[in-house]
Amino acid sequence: QRRLQLEESGAAAEGEAEAVKGAAADGEAEERSCLTASAGAELSAKLCRRQDINEGAAQPRRSAVFNPYTEFKEFSRRQIKDMERMFRLYDSGRDGYIDLMELKLMMEKLGAPQTHLGLKNMIKEVDEDFDGKLSFREFLLIFHKAAAGELEEDSGLLTLAKLSEIDVSIEGVKGAKNFFEAKAQALSSASKFEAEIRAEQDERKREEEERKHRRAAFRELKSAFTQ
């Protein structure tokens, strides 16, 4: 009986070990299948994204926050601020975009109304994320392309750039004859950039001084009435 009990317990232990090995093998196989499925899904998603882009049906992807002053160096700070002011003026929905209807109103205000198809074509020319509306970066691209001569004469975007009160003349180093001339122009542009910043700081200081004077005058007037 003792020998039979020992043999039965040994057989049970071997069975448990085999079961553990089998479960581990099943787990590894399942993990490999999950990794394969994940890789296949990622590749499938990339292929679907590429197909949507080719068909013009891709959903927008939000890009990282950009700095217009470093990305569009051909424009001065004041020019970019003017463009931003104009963009906000026509972004009536205050969502950070100019959609088709807002662009329609914009062109009507500028005195150059466009057809529905013309408006869609205008957006399509600079719509890099295929969302059917203009972000501020895409709005800046309009003036960038206009300044670089990349827009057709009959383009609605060129009409927009011409009718706006923003001077889009290129101030960068394009067209320089040689490296030294380009370097000089770059330094000149940098010094102009710094001068604009100082001018803005001086203007803020003057405004603050005026506010202080107005507050002081108001307090004197108030004290005169309360005496």
Side-chain angles (χ1 to χ4, degrees), residues 87-99:
F87 181 85
R88 289 179 177 177
L89 175 64
Y90 291 100
D91 177 21
S92 56
R94 298 294 184 269
D95 58 352
Y97 296 92
I98 292 180
D99 59 23

Side-chain angles (χ1 to χ4, degrees), residues 128-218:
E128 294 187 329
D129 53 8
F130 309 102
D131 61 353
K133 50 190 178 182
L134 299 176
S135 65
F136 180 54
R137 183 183 182 281
E138 291 164 345
F139 186 72
L140 290 177
L141 281 177
I142 297 173
F143 298 93
H144 170 81
K145 288 178 176 288
E150 297 176 2
L151 297 175
E152 300 292 337
E153 284 297 327
D154 58 348
S155 169
L157 295 183
L158 185 61
T159 303
L160 187 157
K162 286 182 176 180
L163 291 176
S164 69
E165 297 179 357
I166 301 169
D167 180 15
V168 295
S169 59
I170 298 179
E171 300 174 358
V173 298
K174 294 182 178 180
K177 295 179 181 179
N178 53 53
F179 172 81
F180 297 104
E181 184 178 346
K183 190 72 173 177
Q185 289 190 18
L187 292 173
S188 175
S189 178
S191 61
K192 183 176 181 181
F193 186 79
E194 294 174 357
E196 288 177 345
I197 293 178
R198 285 196 297 270
E200 290 179 1
Q201 293 173 345
D202 292 341
E203 185 175 353
R204 284 195 293 268
K205 288 180 181 178
R206 285 195 299 271
E207 291 176 354
E208 182 62 26
E209 289 294 331
E210 290 177 0
R211 282 194 292 269
K212 288 181 179 178
H213 288 311
R214 285 196 297 269
R215 286 195 294 266
F218 177 76

Side-chain angles (χ1 to χ4, degrees), residues 48-67:
C48 290
R49 172 71 179 175
R50 175 53 53 191
Q51 183 178 358
D52 289 342
I53 291 175
N54 292 336
E55 294 176 356
Q59 293 298 318
R61 282 183 176 176
R62 303 302 175 203
S63 57
V65 177
F66 79 104
N67 187 336

Side-chain angles (χ1 to χ4, degrees), residues 20-34:
V20 170
K21 289 181 180 179
D26 292 342
E28 290 177 0
E30 183 178 355
E31 184 178 359
R32 285 195 298 270
S33 64
C34 289

Side-chain angles (χ1 to χ4, degrees), residues 58-123:
Q59 293 298 318
R61 282 183 176 176
R62 303 302 175 203
S63 57
V65 177
F66 79 104
N67 187 336
Y69 303 109
T70 57
E71 186 169 348
F72 295 89
K73 294 181 180 179
E74 67 267 32
F75 300 126
S76 66
R77 286 176 59 86
R78 185 167 296 278
Q79 286 174 325
I80 291 178
K81 286 184 178 295
D82 288 342
M83 295 176 200
E84 185 178 11
R85 192 176 300 110
M86 184 178 184
F87 181 85
R88 289 179 177 177
L89 175 64
Y90 291 100
D91 177 21
S92 56
R94 298 294 184 269
D95 58 352
Y97 296 92
I98 292 180
D99 59 23
L100 191 70
M101 295 307 296
E102 290 168 341
L103 181 61
K104 178 178 182 293
L105 177 63
M106 182 179 188
M107 297 306 293
E108 289 175 353
K109 291 282 188 181
L110 292 174
Q114 303 287 316
T115 64
H116 184 79
L117 180 60
L119 293 167
K120 292 183 70 173
N121 288 334
M122 287 174 65
I123 293 177

